[in-house]
Amino acid sequence: MASRFHLELALTPEGWRRDVVIRIDHGVIDSVEEPDGRPAERISGVVVPGLPNLHSHAFQRAMAGLTERRGSDTDSFWTWREAMYRFVERLSPDDLEAIAAFAYMEMLEAGFTTVAEFHYLHHQPDGTPYDNVAEMSERIVAAAETAGIGLTLLPVLYRQSGFLGKPPTPAQRRFVCDRDVYARLMETRVPPGTIGIAPHSLRAVTLDDLQWAALTWRGLPAHIHVAEQMREVEECLAAHRRRPIDLLLDTVEIDASRWCLVHATHADAGELTRIVKANAVVGLCPITEANLGDGLFDASAFLAQGGQFGIGSDSLVRISAADELRTLEYGQRLMHRQRNVLGEATRSTGRRLFDAAVAGGAQAMAGWPASRISTGERADFVVLDHHHPALAAAQGDSLLDAWLFAADNAAIKTVYCGGVPVVQNGRHVAREELSQRYRKVLAGLT
Ligand code: ZN
């Protein structure tokens, strides 16, 4: 059924516009026009596109805040990963679905309207596939439907524990798939265009596997963790005499799919240029990268060459689109000892980061039309509260800056997904029920 909304102020591809009427049919904007007196529901506040969240491991939300204690003198990504493996052993399909629905609800409250789930928890605790191989994938799909968020499902291909065929460890048995099982996971029932491949990383698949997956599902979104940690770069150099991003770009035809290089933290100058030329998106997860001590991606050099990026919540230690973009910019400020490092003359820093994350995220998600407020796009938008004190003196791009740098999630009033209001007055419409279910699961796990 079609509906009409009168937006008092909206960020459109043509810039900020006052008083526009959009008509939404089956979740898609089918016209953007001037008010003509016909009835339309009025939306006051600042309407901006919803953001794609291009990298998530939903189950990790339940570990948030539980690994912030120094375990050894060299506490690192790798010790965090051991803690994550111990946690993973206990999760049931019901647990996963409840945690994912809660995490997706929080994403919506934080201004994300689509999510790419990099899903690797496939099998039973002893490593045997479930009777329905796609049981866990279907639970992710169900959780996204419950929360009302747009999902791109990325079943993960995981074959080995390290470069050159190192056998998987017992802790990885719930993730590991042979090619037949993986092909069945790629048949999980999802709306057309909303599935993609996710070879876990260059250390977790062989180059043969990587080529096989890229060729078999050519044209679909293809996401991979790459160059997140220096140890991974060193092991890759030792095994293949090439840095990881060079190796990836030498191995697959990257232009043939919607590639997203997640992290790419330790890309060197040559690799950055190759990513830009290949038209791939870098999936930055600044909060998680800071939390895990990964390092800083050289975003200023990358953007200066026209590089494209999107943002992801990854470990979900905190869920906030504003905080991801702010942490990205602050990392660059600390690195270069300057302000507004990612800004440019024609747009404010917040506006530039926001526009880039909307466009890059949409490219990496493929099947979801972008969320720009324009004809033919999905009606995913966020309404910022113009009465929030941080926004009171702001106009134009400063409204975005006030949200991203000052107010954070508290500025979000309403969120529409496919034209449906899923967040009202800052709270998801099913918050009570989904929180209760989540608390019950957590009580059973700890
Ligand atoms: Zn990840």
Side-chain angles (χ1 to χ4, degrees):
M1 205 183 73
S3 44
R4 285 163 56 84
F5 294 100
H6 177 146
L7 316 181
E8 288 184 355
L9 179 63
L11 180 61
T12 72
E14 296 79 42
W16 293 99
R17 282 182 64 180
R18 282 201 175 274
D19 295 312
V20 287
V21 171
I22 57 172
R23 184 175 178 275
I24 299 169
D25 196 11
H26 291 91
V28 173
I29 298 174
D30 69 1
S31 74
V32 179
E33 50 205 42
E34 304 284 322
D36 60 2
R38 279 184 293 162
E41 187 182 328
R42 200 169 182 91
I43 297 184
S44 58
V46 183
V47 179
V48 299
L51 275 161
N53 188 340
L54 55 59
H55 191 66
S56 157
H57 309 287
F59 74 86
Q60 292 180 12
R61 181 59 181 155
M63 294 171 59
L66 302 181
T67 61
E68 308 302 325
R69 187 178 284 264
R70 194 168 183 88
S72 72
D73 285 348
T74 55
D75 216 347
S76 68
F77 169 87
W78 307 100
T79 52
W80 171 86
R81 192 177 70 158
E82 289 308 315
M84 185 267 284
Y85 284 173
R86 286 194 296 277
F87 180 77
V88 143
E89 284 179 6
R90 291 174 288 167
L91 291 178
S92 71
D94 284 347
D95 296 341
L96 177 69
E97 186 175 339
I99 296 167
F102 181 79
Y104 296 158
M105 168 192 85
E106 291 188 300
M107 287 180 197
L108 289 161
E109 290 179 344
F112 290 116
T113 48
T114 48
V115 59
E117 178 66 25
F118 199 99
H119 168 60
Y120 58 87
L121 184 54
H122 299 311
H123 310 309
Q124 299 184 54
D126 68 359
T128 319
Y130 286 98
D131 292 344
N132 167 11
V133 171
E135 173 78 37
M136 293 299 235
S137 296
E138 289 179 8
R139 297 305 191 112
I140 292 289
V141 174
E145 274 170 12
T146 302
I149 199 166
L151 172 75
T152 293
L153 181 69
L154 303 169
V156 169
L157 179 62
Y158 204 106
R159 302 297 307 273
Q160 59 186 20
S161 70
F163 289 96
L164 303 178
K166 202 168 159 194
T169 66
Q172 294 162 341
R173 61 188 175 251
R174 297 193 78 173
F175 322 151
V176 176
C177 294
D178 62 25
R179 291 184 184 185
D180 288 346
V181 168
Y182 188 70
R184 284 159 68 197
L185 290 172
M186 284 298 292
E187 283 162 16
T188 306
R189 279 188 302 275
V190 293
T194 60
I195 196 163
I197 58 165
H200 179 275
S201 54
L202 291 168
R203 54 174 204 277
V205 296
T206 66
L207 299 185
D208 268 0
D209 292 326
L210 187 60
Q211 283 174 332
W212 167 75
L215 281 174
T216 308
W217 291 282
R218 194 182 159 92
L220 296 191
H223 291 216
I224 187 168
H225 292 125
V226 70
E228 178 178 8
Q229 286 281 323
M230 276 312 294
R231 187 170 117 187
E232 179 195 335
V233 177
E234 286 153 13
E235 287 176 357
C236 188
L237 279 165
H240 295 286
R241 297 193 186 153
R242 269 171 291 176
R243 300 177 61 85
I245 293 166
D246 280 334
L247 179 64
L248 174 68
L249 297 177
D250 291 344
T251 305
V252 296
E253 198 190 332
I254 211 142
D255 302 7
S257 298
R258 302 271 186 136
W259 275 89
C260 176
L261 277 51
V262 180
H263 305 302
T265 312
H266 299 288
D268 71 7
E271 289 175 314
L272 286 181
T273 303
R274 289 189 73 185
I275 298 171
V276 175
K277 284 193 175 145
N279 196 30
V281 172
V282 168
L284 298 173
C285 308
I287 297 174
T288 297
E289 288 153 10
N291 183 272
L292 296 179
D294 288 342
L296 286 169
F297 176 74
D298 193 350
S300 56
F302 184 65
L303 294 194
Q305 295 179 60
Q308 302 182 80
F309 77 88
I311 49 163
S313 300
D314 195 4
S315 69
L316 313 187
V317 62
R318 169 159 164 67
I319 297 176
S320 163
D323 199 356
E324 295 293 354
L325 291 172
R326 186 169 71 241
T327 303
L328 169 61
E329 167 66 20
Y330 284 177
Q332 304 297 306
R333 292 187 189 191
L334 290 164
M335 181 159 64
H336 296 286
R337 286 178 277 171
Q338 288 175 13
R339 299 193 70 245
N340 295 306
V341 178
L342 302 177
E344 57 181 12
T346 53
R347 287 178 289 183
S348 75
T349 302
R351 171 77 185 278
R352 188 193 191 192
L353 292 170
F354 184 81
D355 286 351
V358 169
Q363 177 172 327
M365 313 275 284
W368 293 105
S371 53
R372 285 173 297 249
I373 295 159
S374 180
T375 303
E377 310 270 17
R378 194 170 129 98
D380 287 356
F381 49 88
V382 174
V383 186
L384 303 175
D385 180 5
H386 62 316
H387 294 303
H388 187 285
L391 274 66
Q395 286 188 342
D397 289 354
S398 304
L399 291 161
L400 280 175
D401 297 334
W403 170 30
L404 302 178
F405 289 96
D408 208 310
N409 292 347
I412 295 173
K413 188 165 69 168
T414 318
V415 178
Y416 289 80
C417 257
V420 177
V422 287
V423 172
Q424 287 176 323
N425 295 318
R427 287 170 68 87
H428 191 278
V429 292
R431 174 165 259 284
E432 211 54 52
E433 179 198 331
L434 296 179
S435 304
Q436 243 177 44
R437 219 169 108 197
Y438 177 73
R439 270 196 295 269
K440 222 167 110 187
V441 167
L442 247 58
L445 287 171
T446 47

